[in-house]
Amino acid sequence: MSAVVYQLREVRRARYAVAAVFAVHGSVTGSFATRVPWIQDHAGVSAGQLGLALAFPALGASLAMPLAGRISHRFGARTALRGLLALWTLSLVLPSLAPNLATLCLALFVYGATSGMSDVAMNALGVEVENRLDKSIMSGLHGMWSAGALIGSAGGTLAAHLGADARLHHLLAAAVLTVLGLVMCSWVLDLQPAEDEEAPPRFALPPRSAVLIGAVGFCAVFAEGASLDWSAVYLRDQLDTSAGLAAACTTGFTLTMALSRFAGDRIVDRFGAVRSVRVSGVLAALGGLLVVIGGHPAVAMTGFALLGLGIAVVIPLCFAAAGRSGSNPSLAIAGVATITYTSGLIAPSAIGGLAEATSLVVSFGLVTVLACGLVAFAGVLRAGDRTPVQVSPPDAAVPGRRP
């Protein structure tokens, strides 16, 4: 009995450690995003050139994500996460050092590649901890990512307000976050591959199950990207509100998403992944409908809040389902992550292009249709519903090996 209790304590400690890793990962994103204007001025690039450069993080992530499984197999999950997370936190300094467009694109490619690989590694460990605890934690882990992003953004906003050089700001932030990440990685699960387990391929197409799960994630991330980048514009241009009220709409959307993620685990534990996503899809579709037909700032803001509430838990559940959908969790998670990164890349430009050809109302009509897709295709996340996992004493299983 004491051995079982010890293992439970180890898993619980691993849960808090991987939650801290998610927060560290999010802090890097928040720290970078707030200093993009400074980076643009330092590199001397136009708005169009900056838009081109900002496509390189998604490109780097998409190409590098499949490597995460190979690295974890070679070095073990803990060592792999420690190294990949350190590369990610240290890559924060690269964009601010870029003196021109070419070096900025290269820096952002590396920044995105390290982000994507560490993202896959930490989500795979999160799914493993969730399996061993036999209760939902993925939504809360992604809530910790959002909290970390808010903290990083707050630090970046303060640095920008003080007129601090982004090179110094990012150097200090990278140093602090690297140390925190290395410390937290010491307590995550130290998973090792089985002796007869073959190494995953360096590059491979995601399994079919991951593609279907990724399609659900695509719908959610498209709605998220559209709302984050265009909600303020929608209120200002379509409903003629003040800049302050328009900005408050975006803040409210972000806050609703974060709060929903922290509350999401209890909902998923009670109702299961499929029913949770179906209800989430209904809320998101209702929110999109309010945005489209509202015609009043209060109604539109309520709609965007419902969108945030509806899509918040979908991505965590997509990662959880991918991690349980086949014999190679890292490959499946990498496939889902690649699809969702792609959605986040194309959503803002797709909304803008459709708005230019028609109107923003039509653009958010598309968002509403995709939200309905969450209801229709939630069944592919059935793998996200857990089966009970018993924690065995050390003499009944190989320590560190996947159950």
Side-chain angles (χ1 to χ4, degrees):
M1 180 61 69
S2 60
V4 174
V5 171
Y6 175 77
Q7 285 193 355
L8 285 173
R9 287 177 179 173
E10 289 288 301
V11 174
R12 287 169 181 159
R13 186 175 68 175
R15 174 188 179 178
Y16 298 127
V18 77
V21 167
F22 270 77
V24 168
H25 195 284
S27 295
V28 177
T29 301
S31 298
F32 166 76
T34 52
R35 305 312 305 270
V36 169
W38 190 100
I39 293 170
Q40 179 185 9
D41 292 341
H42 181 256
V45 297
S46 66
Q49 290 173 327
L50 177 63
L52 172 65
L54 290 176
F56 275 77
L59 178 61
S62 298
L63 293 176
M65 279 175 175
L67 293 173
R70 182 88 177 193
I71 294 171
S72 293
H73 184 276
R74 172 66 176 82
F75 298 102
R78 179 187 293 172
T79 301
L81 179 62
R82 183 184 288 124
L84 293 173
L85 187 66
L87 289 175
W88 162 234
T89 54
L90 292 173
S91 74
L92 175 62
V93 306
L94 297 179
S96 60
L97 298 176
N100 52 50
L101 177 61
T103 53
L104 180 59
C105 289
L106 179 60
L108 290 175
F109 182 89
V110 175
Y111 173 87
T114 55
S115 170
M117 289 189 292
S118 55
D119 195 335
V120 170
M122 70 185 190
N123 273 285
L125 277 169
V127 171
E128 183 64 30
V129 172
E130 183 175 90
N131 285 341
R132 296 190 180 193
L133 289 175
D134 191 32
K135 66 178 183 178
S136 178
I137 66 167
M138 290 300 292
S139 182
L141 292 181
H142 283 256
M144 287 296 294
W145 191 97
S146 298
L150 288 173
I151 294 171
S153 298
T157 300
L158 177 61
H161 179 72
L162 296 175
D165 189 308
R167 291 170 293 189
L168 177 60
H169 163 217
H170 284 168
L171 179 63
L172 294 175
V176 171
L177 292 172
T178 299
V179 172
L180 286 175
L182 291 174
V183 171
M184 291 301 104
C185 285
S186 299
W187 291 300
V188 301
L189 293 177
D190 189 18
L191 303 178
Q192 300 292 336
E195 294 179 1
D196 57 347
E197 182 179 338
E198 294 184 4
R202 290 183 175 87
F203 293 99
L205 293 175
R208 183 173 179 270
S209 60
V211 174
L212 295 174
I213 293 168
V216 175
F218 183 97
C219 295
V221 172
F222 192 98
E224 179 181 354
S227 299
L228 282 173
D229 288 3
W230 287 96
S231 57
V233 178
Y234 187 93
L235 261 72
R236 185 194 64 189
D237 294 352
Q238 197 70 34
L239 302 178
D240 198 27
T241 66
S242 66
L245 187 61
C249 179
T250 305
T251 302
F253 171 82
T254 306
L255 181 61
T256 304
M257 276 198 67
L259 293 176
S260 181
R261 281 179 169 170
F262 281 119
D265 289 322
R266 292 184 180 179
I267 297 172
V268 174
D269 277 335
R270 181 168 183 179
F271 298 105
V274 175
R275 282 194 290 175
S276 296
V277 171
R278 282 181 178 151
V279 173
S280 295
V282 170
L283 290 175
L286 176 60
L289 188 62
L290 290 178
V291 170
V292 170
I293 68 173
H296 189 277
V299 177
M301 292 178 73
T302 302
F304 281 115
L306 285 174
L307 270 169
L309 185 66
I311 65 178
V313 302
V314 177
I315 291 301
L317 289 177
C318 285
F319 280 118
R324 302 187 186 98
S325 63
S327 59
N328 195 327
S330 293
L331 182 60
I333 290 173
V336 170
T338 300
I339 295 170
T340 55
Y341 266 66
T342 302
S343 178
L345 175 64
I346 69 173
S349 58
I351 291 295
L354 185 57
E356 186 173 351
T358 55
S359 69
L360 272 175
V361 173
V362 175
S363 295
F364 277 96
L366 174 61
V367 172
T368 305
V369 171
L370 290 176
C372 293
L374 298 177
V375 182
F377 301 109
V380 303
L381 301 184
R382 203 167 303 279
D385 287 324
R386 296 171 313 283
T387 55
V389 175
Q390 299 295 329
V391 178
S392 304
D395 57 354
V398 179
R401 184 177 296 177
R402 298 183 187 274

